[in-house]
Amino acid sequence: MWAALLIVCSLCLNLYLANYSILYRHMQNGALNGFSIVGSYQSVGTQHVSLSMIEREREGPSTETLREWQLVEYDGTVLEGHFRPLGDPNIFVLTTVDGKRLGIAHLSYSTPNGTDGALYLVEEDGTTTQFAKTSDIPGFLALE
């Protein structure tokens, strides 16, 4: 009986260590090469409601990657624009569609499946908002 219990405990420990090793490699790779910013985010504070980020290939002969964001305020105001990475693969400059700089987004982390993470938006006026990643699917509103 003790041998069976020892085998079960050993298997559980091995599974735990294997899972930890996978997560460690993901976090290390994300810190060095960038986590996936694509997805939907919900504000933790009270200023904004949601933020969505998407990266997609431009249609046509160009192979340029389009990086777009959409921010929804509590009053229903929607801001949209483009983002570009800086030297750090997890820090991005956000500009509005009319070219004005909104601020800097810092993606602290994202889980391997992309459904959890944390992003900080530091706006030009110094306001910082924390967003929790809720999905790896961007939730853009269709605007008329």
Side-chain angles (χ1 to χ4, degrees):
M1 176 174 148
W2 289 107
L5 182 61
L6 184 60
I7 290 172
V8 169
C9 288
S10 177
L11 286 174
C12 290
L13 179 61
N14 284 335
L15 287 173
Y16 173 79
L17 292 175
N19 188 39
Y20 177 79
S21 176
I22 291 169
L23 184 59
Y24 174 78
R25 281 194 305 273
H26 168 76
M27 296 302 276
Q28 185 180 38
N29 184 55
L32 294 173
N33 302 312
F35 296 103
S36 174
I37 195 167
V38 173
S40 298
Y41 298 82
Q42 194 72 33
S43 66
V44 175
T46 59
Q47 185 176 359
H48 306 294
V49 174
S50 67
L51 175 67
S52 291
M53 310 290 277
I54 190 168
E55 291 180 321
R56 58 188 171 92
E57 297 300 318
R58 180 185 297 270
E59 295 178 12
S62 173
T63 58
E64 180 184 11
T65 300
L66 295 174
R67 295 178 175 96
E68 300 171 317
W69 60 267
Q70 185 180 73
L71 181 71
V72 180
E73 305 279 356
Y74 276 103
D75 65 2
T77 303
V78 177
L79 298 172
E80 295 182 307
H82 303 279
F83 66 94
R84 64 178 173 78
L86 289 176
D88 184 312
N90 292 305
I91 298 178
F92 305 86
V93 175
L94 279 65
T95 54
T96 60
V97 290
D98 59 359
K100 293 186 342 191
R101 186 168 157 162
L102 176 71
I104 301 286
H106 173 232
L107 182 59
S108 295
Y109 79 96
S110 181
T111 55
N113 63 5
T115 59
D116 188 25
L119 180 141
Y120 292 87
L121 175 61
V122 182
E123 296 180 58
E124 286 297 296
D125 66 2
T127 304
T128 301
T129 306
Q130 179 183 354
F131 289 87
K133 191 169 189 182
T134 57
S135 173
D136 62 344
I137 300 170
F140 279 76
L141 295 176
L143 302 177
E144 298 177 20

